[in-house]
Amino acid sequence: MKQKFKNIVQIISPFMKVKKVFLISFLVVACQQSFAQVSSSIDSTSILIGEEIRYKMLVEADSTELVIFPEGQTFTPLEVIESYKTDTTKNGNRFSLIKEYALTQFDSGSYTIPRQKIAIGDKVFYTDSISVEVRDVLVDTTKQKMYEIKPLVDVDASFFNWKSNIWWILILLLITGAIIFLAFRRKKRKEAKEQELPPYERAMLALRQIDESHLLEQDSHKEYYSLLSDTARKYIDEEVYDHAMESTTDELIARLDEEIKSGALNLDKHTIEELKSVLKTADMAKFAKSRPDVGTAKADRNVIERVINETKEAIPEPTEEELLADEEYRRTIAEKKRRKKIIFGSIAGVGVVIITLVIFIAIKGFDLVKDTLLGHPTKELAETEWISSGYGSPPVTISTPKVLIRNNFKLTEEQKQILKGNETFTYGSILGNFYVVVSTMSYQQQNQVDLEKAVEGVVGYLESNGAKNITLKNEEYQTLGGAKGIKVFGNLDITNQVQQKTSKNEYVMLNFAEKGGFQQITVIYDIEDRYAKDVAQRIINSVELRNSK
């Protein structure tokens, strides 16, 4: 029996060993897969508005795993101020990665930082959500002194001086363009002057330039012979055969032989053979990289000079008709060149102006550039030096781009019994782009003026001045100095009976009852005028009643 049991143990023993191996392998893999650890924390759970929270993520993972931290605004409702670089430390074959974010919130309340997703290899891990309290900043109004809102202050924006500066910019650009143009024209004139030389003198000048180039000393045989060949060909092209430049050496020599046979060219046959020899040598130097010795090259240069001299002597003198025709041709060419220069200069000048305008349009916009160059009445009002003055009695202090003009109204006897004074000051016209009116009334007796009733009469007042389709809104208004009144505003249409044109306008009317009097400030402006609203707002904001408190 014991022997049989031993046999069974021997049979199953290998299977037990295999099972243990599989179990150990499984545990190792499981440990490796679950070894990645993720945690998060913050340095404070309660902050003041705008303070910074440091949010830290700690990841421990295998060095072979790719770790991807969250990016962007994934911490909403908190805002990410900055995402710091990942701090990495190595421990054997493991990595510890620390990622920090700077967070904040500008509204008080209780917030929750949401769970954040971290990708490690092909697995996704989530951090825990964290609650944060954002507290208001307490202000002790008993210790903190309060101040009135300061009035508007004119600020010189850089572009509002652009109208005066643009001309300096344009002048500088035009001067630069003129310098470039003059330099270019000088170069062209020099080239033209060389071209205006007679063919013979031009050929001699070219030979002198070849001598001064020192090409042979620089071992530049190809360039040397190219210049030498071109000099001879150009002279022959202008004086004998007008296709010499594009003809091959054999074609050119054949044509010169024909000219000699026809009697048009009284040139020695030996001279033609010398020219042919030099041109063949030049072809070899240019295309076969032949390198004749210096003595031969200089001798070939002398041959070309001799050929040009003998050709000049062999050409018959032109007749008077030919000279006149040549002179007329030269004048025509000169006139064409002069017209080209004028056209080029004009195009260059216009081009500089256009480029400048395009740059300013791209920076500032088309409408602003157009209005600056061509002028705009309301824009000029905005940019002029404003005037602050007091008008009427009780006085109204107001800043306007132009001085308001007094309108004298004669009071009726009935009005004189009630009113001590009625003064009106205006700028512009109700039919124009911009209209400002300041009216003040003072009463014989210190009566309390009912502003509500005064507002009710606004529509009638506007209609009496030709306004139609009037919309009316009103609200309480208080100046920076503390004067309280009623602000009436809305839209209206004004028809110009002369031009038969109706314009849509906006209006703002301030009504005050200070010191027993009545003060009314009215501003009416074209609704389509892009500068008028800012000018009107600036005027309204400047209104103040002296000693109103």
Side-chain angles (χ1 to χ4, degrees):
M1 188 67 179
K2 289 183 179 180
Q3 185 64 37
K4 188 175 180 180
F5 179 74
K6 287 181 180 180
N7 292 336
I8 293 171
V9 171
Q10 289 176 355
I11 292 170
I12 66 172
S13 180
F15 292 99
M16 294 295 290
K17 292 180 179 179
V18 171
K19 185 177 180 181
K20 287 181 180 179
V21 170
F22 275 110
L23 180 60
I24 292 170
S25 300
F26 174 78
L27 291 173
V28 169
V29 172
C31 288
Q32 288 179 344
Q33 290 181 348
S34 62
F35 194 76
Q37 295 182 1
V38 175
S39 63
S40 63
S41 63
I42 57 175
D43 60 349
S44 177
T45 58
S46 179
I47 61 169
L48 295 175
I49 289 176
E51 278 190 337
E52 180 182 300
I53 296 175
R54 282 295 185 97
Y55 184 98
K56 182 189 295 185
M57 293 182 183
L58 174 62
V59 174
E60 293 185 0
D62 188 36
S63 59
T64 60
E65 297 287 349
L66 176 64
V67 180
I68 300 176
F69 290 99
E71 291 295 339
Q73 296 295 337
T74 63
F75 294 87
T76 306
L78 272 71
E79 298 180 21
V80 178
I81 303 173
E82 188 172 356
S83 174
Y84 297 99
K85 291 183 178 180
T86 304
D87 185 14
T88 306
T89 57
K90 189 174 182 181
N91 184 12
N93 62 343
R94 307 290 294 172
F95 275 148
S96 292
L97 296 92
I98 298 175
K99 177 73 173 178
E100 289 192 2
Y101 300 86
L103 311 177
T104 192
Q105 174 56 250
F106 296 99
D107 289 325
S108 60
S110 297
Y111 298 93
T112 299
I113 301 175
R115 299 168 64 199
Q116 299 298 309
K117 183 174 73 172
I118 303 173
I120 303 176
D122 56 354
K123 293 185 177 298
V124 175
F125 296 83
Y126 290 91
T127 64
D128 294 331
S129 59
I130 303 174
S131 297
V132 177
E133 185 75 21
V134 181
R135 308 189 310 276
D136 277 321
V137 178
L138 298 178
V139 179
D140 189 350
T141 56
T142 61
K143 296 181 180 179
Q144 177 67 41
K145 189 175 181 181
M146 305 302 289
Y147 299 92
E148 292 182 355
I149 299 173
K150 292 185 178 180
L152 294 177
V153 178
D154 293 341
V155 178
D156 292 332
S158 60
F159 187 75
F160 289 109
N161 294 324
W162 178 65
K163 188 172 183 179
S164 58
N165 293 334
I166 188 175
W167 300 115
W168 291 107
I169 296 170
L170 286 174
I171 290 170
L172 289 174
L173 288 173
L174 288 173
I175 290 173
T176 304
I179 291 172
I180 295 171
F181 171 70
L182 291 174
F184 181 79
R185 188 175 69 172
R186 183 180 179 185
K187 181 181 177 182
K188 286 290 185 182
R189 280 184 174 179
K190 186 177 180 181
E191 294 176 356
K193 188 175 181 180
E194 292 178 359
Q195 292 293 328
E196 289 172 1
L197 290 172
Y200 175 77
E201 294 182 11
R202 206 177 314 131
M204 293 298 105
L205 176 61
L207 289 175
R208 286 197 297 271
Q209 289 174 345
I210 292 172
D211 294 338
E212 295 169 359
S213 65
H214 303 292
L215 291 172
L216 292 176
E217 289 83 344
Q218 298 170 8
D219 206 22
S220 300
H221 288 74
K222 179 179 178 180
E223 188 176 354
Y224 177 86
Y225 272 99
S226 294
L227 294 174
L228 205 60
S229 174
D230 288 345
T231 301
R233 285 176 178 273
K234 284 179 182 178
Y235 179 75
I236 295 171
D237 185 90
E238 293 178 345
E239 295 288 47
V240 181
Y241 174 47
D242 58 1
H243 291 290
M245 292 298 296
E246 60 266 26
S247 298
T248 63
T249 298
D250 292 335
E251 289 173 346
L252 177 58
I253 297 302
R255 182 54 187 256
L256 291 177
D257 287 336
E258 290 177 7
E259 294 289 330
I260 293 170
K261 290 177 182 178
S262 66
L265 186 65
N266 186 18
L267 196 62
D268 186 69
K269 185 67 177 176
H270 178 68
T271 303
I272 297 298
E273 290 299 326
E274 285 186 318
L275 174 62
K276 181 179 179 180
S277 175
V278 175
L279 293 180
K280 289 287 187 182
T281 304
D283 291 341
M284 293 295 291
K286 288 191 290 183
F287 305 114
K289 297 183 179 180
S290 175
R291 301 170 64 83
D293 58 79
V294 175
T296 302
K298 290 184 177 180
D300 288 341
R301 181 261 181 219
N302 295 331
V303 168
I304 293 299
E305 182 176 3
R306 187 165 61 254
V307 169
I308 292 172
N309 287 328
E310 291 182 7
T311 303
K312 179 177 182 296
E313 294 174 358
I315 297 173
E317 291 293 327
T319 62
E320 186 175 351
E321 290 79 6
E322 290 175 339
L323 289 173
L324 290 173
D326 185 62
E327 183 63 27
E328 181 64 25
Y329 174 76
R330 290 177 182 273
R331 280 201 300 269
T332 303
I333 294 299
E335 182 63 25
K336 286 183 179 179
K337 288 182 178 180
R338 190 180 68 84
R339 284 199 298 268
K340 283 183 179 180
K341 289 177 181 178
I342 293 173
I343 293 171
F344 176 78
S346 302
I347 292 173
V350 172
V352 170
V353 174
I354 290 174
I355 291 171
T356 305
L357 288 176
V358 168
I359 292 172
F360 277 100
I361 288 171
I363 296 172
K364 302 298 181 182
F366 174 77
D367 291 332
L368 200 53
V369 174
K370 182 192 72 173
D371 295 339
T372 301
L373 293 177
L374 302 181
H376 190 286
T378 315
K379 184 176 184 296
E380 292 173 2
L381 290 180
E383 294 177 352
T384 191
E385 185 176 351
W386 283 41
I387 301 157
S388 295
S389 185
Y391 299 92
S393 177
V396 175
T397 303
I398 185 172
S399 294
T400 54
K402 301 290 183 181
V403 176
L404 305 184
I405 306 300
R406 181 192 297 271
N407 284 345
N408 293 318
F409 294 102
K410 291 185 178 180
L411 300 177
T412 64
E413 292 299 324
E414 183 180 354
Q415 290 173 331
K416 288 180 180 179
Q417 298 297 322
I418 303 172
L419 301 176
K420 191 166 35 175
N422 179 17
E423 297 178 284
T424 302
F425 303 84
T426 65
Y427 168 77
S429 167
I430 197 170
L431 299 177
N433 283 38
F434 207 84
Y435 184 50
V436 182
V437 183
V438 175
S439 299
T440 62
M441 295 181 186
S442 57
Y443 297 91
Q444 295 288 357
Q445 298 179 356
Q446 292 289 333
N447 297 326
Q448 185 67 31
V449 179
D450 190 345
L451 285 180
E452 296 292 340
K453 289 186 177 180
V455 170
E456 291 175 2
V458 167
V459 174
Y461 166 75
L462 293 173
E463 287 179 342
S464 67
N465 282 276
K468 297 180 180 179
N469 302 325
I470 302 169
T471 63
L472 186 144
K473 300 177 184 177
N474 65 79
E475 60 185 24
E476 293 183 355
Y477 185 82
Q478 182 172 342
T479 67
L480 296 175
K484 295 182 179 180
I486 296 178
K487 175 182 176 182
V488 182
F489 57 97
N491 298 336
L492 55 85
D493 294 342
I494 297 289
T495 301
N496 189 323
Q497 299 298 334
V498 176
Q499 299 179 353
Q500 292 298 313
K501 179 181 177 182
T502 300
S503 61
K504 294 186 177 295
N505 295 267
E506 289 189 7
Y507 72 92
V508 180
M509 185 181 293
L510 301 183
N511 302 274
F512 300 96
E514 293 291 332
K515 290 192 175 182
F518 176 67
Q519 302 84 28
Q520 187 177 73
I521 300 92
T522 305
V523 181
I524 302 175
Y525 56 90
D526 190 341
I527 200 171
E528 296 181 355
D529 190 327
R530 52 184 163 272
Y531 306 103
K533 188 170 185 177
D534 291 337
V535 175
Q537 193 62 47
R538 184 176 172 185
I539 291 174
I540 293 298
N541 290 339
S542 71
V543 171
E544 194 54 79
L545 278 75
R546 292 182 179 176
N547 302 320
S548 58
K549 289 188 176 180

